Amino acid sequence: MNIKPPLIEVPTEKPFDNDKFERDKEAELLTSIISTYSQPLVLSIDAAWGNGKTTFLQMWRQKLENEKFPCLFFNAWEHDFADNALVSFIGEIDAGIDAFPLGPEETKEAKQLFRNVKTIGTKLLKRAAPIAIKLITAGVLDPEKVYEDAIGTVGSELVKDSFKEYEENRNTVSDFKKKLRDFVLKLQEFQGETPKPLVFFIDEMDRCRPPYAIQLLEKIKHFFDIEGIIFVLAIDKTQIENSIKFVYGTDESSAYLHRFIDLTYRLKKPSKEQYASILFNRLELSSLWEKRGFSSIYNETLKLFQTFSNCFSLSLREQERVAAHLNVIIRTLPKGNTYQPELLVILIVLRTKHYSLYTSIAQGTLPNRILEMLRKTSEGTEFLESTRGLCLEFVINFEGSPVSKAIRKYKEIQETINSSELEDIFTPELRKQQHLSLFIKSEIESYPRETDKLNLLFRIFQLVELAKNFDAE
């Protein structure tokens, strides 16, 4: 059995075979766009962190490769250590030529052409020193003030050198783009009557250091703005805009981002209920629950997982973390021991999504905000009206109270139930109250004295904390 969900396999022949979200239709749509686009294109696939961008890109890339598109895949986060994104791009193309749909002689010729691109790229990198740094290191500009006499004697020569360097840089950039264009044209020539663009996938940009993420965008625009090259960027647009604010301190981050991205596609959000079922199946949790003696509450646990995923807006990756944590805890429980699924699941969700609220339980703070958050959604409101919801509300409202207070609550409920039985009126609502009274009774009986304080929530909290070192990130 798995502790965390295994990576989704992308079959070569049928890349979307394991796609559970019908994203093959989205891939078809995007393929039709890039197939008919003749100009340079930067296409962003926008989705929040943890919503399946990487898996979609891998599936779509395989689909395109099956259709003889030359493709490259660049994990930006893995190259975040590099000082210059241009080096990373050139290296990635150079390493990827062997995988292009070309014959041996064509591959050899393509590599020869790309050597010309690398040669010009090397010159370009050597000319990358900023003028301002040169002026400061020469002693002409001082961070505190500018010495006018220094500028008069040394500055004029440096200005001349700077203009000359600018002209040389401009020519080098032009040469680089020309050689790169020659390389792309040759790739298309090899493809015959139906030439396809070179598709460069870039993933994990939103995990990079802000300066590196911005540098990637700038290098794409200034050096790879070539007809026949299409960049596909998997991004969380909000996160990239925050990176722009961090680097440039501008409030116009959205407008700045639009300078680099020509077209944005918002990936369809998958159903959290659907993904929860998929997760539980991939982790084989049904078998685990059966072996641990919890089969009777497996379906309830899954339903609660789905409900809380919606109530607290968990991303797919957050759902995976919660499922992995739940998986570990169930393995550590004594076989056959029961547990309150509503308490266990909601505490793991809070630990993943709202850590400060989760830790308030350890500090003895009554977390009434949990109920407020649940009531903000229709799923949460419906849950609180259910039997499990009534039990959760009781635990939250009575946590830290003396057992005597719970006894009074139990007696109140019992009086209502008894009077209804006498009148032969037993509604679904009263059945819920009956279940709640049984729950309260079992909890009361676990304390030897009425002056003891109720701590069921804290006990479940400790259970969750015992498994915290097993988090599957």
Side-chain angles (χ1 to χ4, degrees), residues 63-343:
K63 169 184 166 61
L64 292 178
E65 288 181 343
N66 292 350
E67 296 176 14
K68 305 303 180 185
F69 280 80
C71 296
L72 296 165
F73 198 94
F74 181 78
N75 186 312
W77 190 58
E78 290 179 357
H79 294 79
D80 195 8
F81 62 88
D83 292 329
N84 195 308
L86 183 59
V87 176
S88 302
F89 282 149
I90 292 173
E92 202 66 26
I93 297 175
D94 191 34
I97 292 174
D98 284 322
F100 289 170
L102 305 173
E105 290 303 315
E106 293 170 338
T107 298
K108 184 178 179 181
E109 188 174 347
K111 286 186 172 182
Q112 181 58 51
L113 271 174
F114 195 71
R115 286 194 193 100
N116 298 333
V117 179
K118 287 167 63 180
T119 301
I120 302 298
T122 303
K123 292 181 182 179
L124 198 59
L125 291 168
K126 288 179 180 178
R127 299 182 182 278
I131 295 171
I133 293 177
K134 180 181 286 188
L135 291 170
I136 290 172
T137 55
V140 178
L141 297 182
D142 181 66
E144 301 298 327
K145 63 176 183 174
V146 178
Y147 293 98
E148 293 183 2
D149 55 335
I151 291 179
T153 57
V154 185
S156 59
E157 290 301 317
L158 283 174
V159 169
K160 289 178 184 178
D161 289 345
S162 298
F163 277 123
K164 182 181 178 181
E165 183 177 339
Y166 166 78
E167 188 65 28
E168 290 173 350
N169 280 343
R170 190 176 67 172
N171 292 335
T172 306
V173 171
S174 179
D175 288 344
F176 175 82
K177 295 178 78 169
K178 183 179 182 303
K179 297 297 183 185
L180 185 59
R181 176 62 179 151
D182 291 342
F183 169 73
V184 173
L185 283 173
K186 181 58 68 174
L187 289 181
Q188 293 183 330
E189 180 185 316
F190 291 150
Q191 296 177 60
E193 295 181 1
T194 56
K196 295 178 171 63
L198 169 61
V199 184
F200 206 141
F201 291 95
I202 300 183
D203 192 22
E204 303 280 23
M205 281 186 67
D206 33 31
R207 295 182 69 184
C208 294
R209 291 175 294 115
Y212 187 73
I214 302 309
Q215 188 187 144
L216 285 174
L217 290 171
E218 292 173 343
K219 290 294 188 288
I220 290 169
K221 191 65 175 179
H222 298 313
F223 298 110
F224 292 86
D225 189 30
I226 304 292
E227 187 175 336
I229 298 181
I230 289 177
F231 279 89
V232 178
L233 317 178
I235 65 170
D236 178 345
K237 187 180 176 185
T238 301
Q239 193 65 34
I240 295 296
E241 288 177 356
N242 288 336
S243 293
I244 293 171
K245 288 179 184 178
F246 177 86
V247 174
Y248 294 118
T250 177
D251 291 329
E252 301 297 327
S253 56
S254 180
Y256 185 82
L257 184 59
H258 283 145
R259 297 180 188 178
F260 303 102
I261 295 175
D262 303 303
L263 191 63
T264 295
Y265 180 80
R266 292 175 183 82
L267 204 59
K268 183 178 68 175
K269 289 184 178 180
S271 158
K272 290 181 174 58
E273 292 90 342
Q274 183 184 17
Y275 191 61
S277 298
I278 293 167
L279 265 181
F280 275 47
N281 286 333
R282 285 169 61 196
L283 288 169
E284 302 175 3
L285 295 188
S286 178
S287 299
L288 175 62
W289 258 246
E290 184 177 349
K291 288 183 177 181
R292 304 302 296 169
F294 304 134
S295 295
S296 61
I297 50 177
Y298 172 78
N299 288 332
E300 275 191 279
T301 304
L302 172 57
K303 177 62 178 174
L304 289 164
F305 185 97
Q306 293 170 326
T307 297
F308 295 146
S309 292
N310 273 322
C311 292
F312 295 97
S313 301
L314 298 189
S315 69
L316 302 190
R317 198 163 297 176
E318 286 167 339
Q319 282 183 283
E320 289 179 2
R321 291 175 62 191
V322 172
H325 202 154
L326 178 62
N327 189 358
V328 170
I329 291 172
I330 294 301
R331 292 171 187 272
T332 63
L333 287 174
K335 189 174 181 181
N337 273 31
T338 188
Y339 66 94
Q340 292 299 127
E342 67 276 12
L343 299 180

Side-chain angles (χ1 to χ4, degrees), residues 414-436:
Q414 279 301 116
E415 285 177 10
T416 303
I417 293 173
N418 292 337
S419 62
S420 298
E421 287 178 341
L422 288 172
E423 297 175 16
D424 200 23
I425 302 172
F426 215 67
T427 64
E429 186 59 36
L430 281 171
R431 292 189 185 279
K432 294 177 189 177
Q433 291 295 321
Q434 186 179 46
H435 184 96
L436 176 59

Side-chain angles (χ1 to χ4, degrees), residues 354-413:
H354 297 284
Y355 190 72
S356 61
L357 186 57
Y358 167 80
T359 55
S360 69
I361 296 167
Q363 297 161 2
T365 305
L366 289 176
N368 289 315
R369 189 166 162 237
I370 297 173
L371 300 176
E372 294 172 8
M373 294 173 76
L374 286 171
R375 290 191 181 100
K376 287 181 180 178
T377 65
S378 57
E379 296 97 332
T381 301
E382 185 178 343
F383 163 72
L384 288 174
E385 292 172 355
S386 70
T387 300
R388 292 287 183 187
L390 292 174
C391 292
L392 175 66
E393 189 166 3
F394 167 81
V395 170
I396 289 176
N397 287 332
F398 282 77
E399 183 77 2
S401 299
V403 172
S404 57
K405 183 178 178 182
I407 292 173
R408 288 196 298 273
K409 178 67 175 177
Y410 169 74
K411 289 178 177 179
E412 287 175 12
I413 297 173

